[in-house]
Amino acid sequence: MPGLSPVRGLGAEAGRAAVRLARLPLDIAVEGVGRLTGWLGHARPARSGDRDELFQTESGIPVLLVHGLADREWVVSSLQQGLGGCGAGPLVPVSYNALSPDIRTAARVLGDQVELAHARSGGRPVVLIGYSLGGLIARYYVQRLDGDAYVPLVITLAAPHGGTVTALLAPPHPLLRQLRPGSEVLTELAERAVGCRARFVAFYSDLDEAVVPAARARIDHPDLKARNVLVPGVGHLTLPLHQPVIDHIRSLLTAAGQAAAAAARGTRDSGDESEDAET
């Protein structure tokens, strides 16, 4: 996949980091307000009527976008804009409690939202796109909580599938400890997953400063149908906004939507044939 030269990649990453630092006080304030009002940890937007109308007006395969640990909506909104018009949709951001003590808990919350999207879309399959920690949460739900019954495709962006040594330097928060290589959660993900039906596509970079070593953002599991896509010279913050990555995801969503539509047509045709045979 087209990437960037190391110099351009470092420059782009520095720019993204500066923007994140500038926004950090606001994000912390929003996080605090969310904790006080009790809505953080649930999917948003919150109004059920708006969400129902969204699923009724779009007929593509639903796509749930799961943010990372500290990025909140900035990545999700950029992906929504970049992925619009590819034949998939609705593109729905979901959230989770960033202060949750457990990836498993966040995965169960995500599972509730997947099943809701599946029901509201008339039983269509759901695609998950997870950035950073969001990708690990999406994988845990699909691989360990039987989410492959609803999700045929999981796309992860700079997700620490094999953990990261940077978590060893982080504060001893329970969730951050789960990102350390060899943690209980990562050990669970390394266990056998025979029969998991979902496909995984993991985008990773050789310039990722958050997932160290960078190859730990790959999915290397003998039982999973996984494809790893190297994006050279692109840092952790830049990777989900890199246009070639967005273009590749668009093609994946288009293909997933076409496959879902073909499967739905086949089911309807089988039903028609059964009715004809009975008559």
Side-chain angles (χ1 to χ4, degrees):
M1 164 163 295
L4 298 173
S5 68
V7 173
R8 287 189 61 193
L10 289 171
E13 193 70 1
R16 300 290 181 194
V19 171
R20 289 297 301 125
L21 287 174
R23 292 185 51 162
L24 189 58
L26 176 61
D27 287 346
I28 292 175
V30 171
E31 186 91 5
V33 171
R35 292 285 288 174
L36 289 174
T37 56
W39 52 253
L40 191 63
H42 301 282
R44 292 178 278 130
R47 291 193 295 179
S48 177
D50 292 346
R51 182 66 66 86
D52 288 338
E53 182 179 353
L54 183 64
F55 280 97
Q56 291 168 5
T57 56
E58 298 200 42
S59 58
I61 185 170
V63 180
L64 301 191
L65 307 169
V66 192
H67 66 77
L69 179 63
D71 58 84
R72 298 186 60 79
E73 265 68 27
W74 69 277
V75 165
V76 168
S77 61
S78 297
L79 284 173
Q80 280 182 299
Q81 294 174 12
L83 298 175
C86 68
L91 302 169
V92 183
V94 298
S95 190
Y96 56 88
N97 187 346
L99 301 179
S100 169
D102 191 45
I103 287 176
R104 304 176 187 89
T105 301
R108 285 192 289 270
V109 171
L110 175 60
D112 292 339
Q113 304 311 316
V114 168
E115 294 181 27
L116 193 60
H118 175 75
R120 285 175 170 169
S121 64
R124 293 195 296 273
V126 179
V127 170
L128 293 179
I129 301 178
Y131 169 59
S132 194
L133 176 63
L136 199 60
I137 292 170
R139 177 184 170 188
Y140 191 94
Y141 163 64
V142 171
Q143 180 182 334
R144 299 290 299 177
L145 301 180
D146 299 323
D148 59 326
Y150 304 97
V151 180
L153 175 63
V154 181
I155 300 171
T156 69
L157 305 162
H161 293 291
T164 172
V165 298
T166 58
L168 298 172
L169 306 175
H173 186 277
L175 188 149
L176 294 176
R177 284 201 295 267
Q178 291 181 338
L179 301 182
R180 295 174 178 176
S183 71
E184 289 186 7
V185 165
L186 297 181
T187 299
E188 286 183 47
L189 289 175
E191 293 175 359
R192 298 301 304 270
V194 178
C196 183
R197 293 162 285 181
R199 291 191 305 116
F200 296 82
V201 179
F203 291 87
Y204 73 106
S205 171
D206 56 1
L207 196 68
D208 194 322
E209 73 282 5
V211 182
V212 180
R216 290 186 179 271
R218 294 170 50 93
I219 298 178
D220 294 311
H221 192 294
D223 298 326
L224 297 182
K225 296 184 286 289
R227 181 161 64 91
N228 298 295
V229 182
L230 173 63
V231 189
V234 177
H236 188 82
L237 298 175
T238 307
L239 186 125
L241 310 178
H242 187 52
Q243 190 59 49
V245 171
I246 292 176
D247 291 342
H248 196 155
I249 295 175
R250 287 176 63 88
S251 67
L252 291 171
L253 294 181
T254 298
Q258 292 171 346
R265 285 194 301 269
T267 300
R268 288 195 299 269
D269 293 343
S270 298
D272 294 341
E273 291 176 1
S274 298
E275 291 179 4
D276 292 342
E278 291 175 359
T279 58

